[in-house]
Amino acid sequence: MSKDRKLLPLDQRPYRPGIGLVLLNSRGLAFVAQRIDTPDDAWQFPQGGMDEGEAPRQTALREMKEEIGTDKAEIVAESSDWIAYDLPPDIADKVWKGRYRGQSQKWFCARFTGADADIDLATAHPEFSRWQWMDLARVPELIVPFKRALYDRVVAEFLPVARAMGRRPG
């Protein structure tokens, strides 16, 4: 972006289309990872922007491979709606070159079919420094505050899936 290009006021910017992915292991625990670029102890699910012409489900599988180094999962649920979050004004002009006010995301829930050793954060463009499996209900308290309402909605929608998965034998 050239320096003389004026940014739209925050409330007039569009949302960037994206996805989020809740990855559950066989015990119904959720994959969360700590961002490299966030100084706070902020954890999140894999998520990212959609490429031109890419379907949301395709994006979810691509982002999982790009961010956590595995594609060993099968999608088992999808959010009923797109869910948006707004960036805080103090960072909105820096993220995505100031073109967006936040993201509107389609969320997916997937069952991890691999082993922990299949997860490799040392991807081509690492986003996370460490990861863990966690009770899905606890995740919203660990996310950056401006995404907390979105995470509350996602957890409410996918918690029954996680609980059912945790009760499965095996």
Side-chain angles (χ1 to χ4, degrees):
M1 177 175 77
S2 67
K3 291 190 184 254
D4 58 353
R5 183 172 162 209
K6 195 172 180 183
L7 295 175
L8 287 173
L10 191 56
D11 64 347
Q12 293 178 22
R13 296 177 198 172
Y15 286 102
R16 179 181 183 230
I19 62 85
L21 180 70
V22 175
L23 183 64
L24 301 172
N25 69 12
S26 62
R27 297 181 311 158
L29 297 175
F31 173 94
V32 292
Q34 188 173 34
R35 291 196 58 85
I36 287 175
D37 61 359
T38 304
D40 301 327
D41 192 30
W43 295 76
Q44 72 174 48
F45 298 126
Q47 56 192 67
M50 294 175 60
D51 290 340
E52 184 77 27
E54 191 174 42
R57 183 177 287 256
Q58 180 184 3
T59 304
L61 296 172
R62 176 183 54 77
E63 285 289 337
M64 180 176 55
K65 181 70 173 169
E66 286 178 5
E67 291 187 2
I68 66 172
T70 187
D71 58 2
K72 296 186 180 208
E74 59 184 16
I75 293 175
V76 295
E78 181 176 327
S79 61
S80 56
D81 295 310
W82 289 76
I83 308 169
Y85 70 85
D86 288 344
L87 292 166
D90 62 318
I91 65 168
D93 291 347
K94 300 172 190 139
V95 176
W96 306 308
K97 300 178 184 175
R99 293 180 300 201
Y100 302 103
R101 70 187 299 169
Q103 241 184 30
S104 179
Q105 298 174 323
K106 187 65 164 174
W107 279 81
F108 296 90
C109 184
R111 183 176 65 84
F112 183 54
T113 59
D116 286 1
D118 294 318
I119 295 171
D120 182 7
L121 301 182
T123 60
H125 303 283
E127 293 190 29
F128 302 118
S129 58
R130 58 190 176 129
W131 68 274
Q132 64 180 312
W133 295 110
M134 176 180 292
D135 183 339
L136 182 58
R138 285 199 50 228
V139 176
E141 67 194 50
L142 301 176
I143 189 66
V144 291
F146 68 90
K147 290 183 183 177
R148 195 158 291 142
L150 177 145
Y151 270 55
D152 285 338
R153 285 186 60 189
V154 168
V155 167
E157 192 155 353
F158 294 144
L159 196 55
V161 177
R163 289 189 174 140
M165 202 170 288
R167 287 192 298 267
R168 284 187 10 199

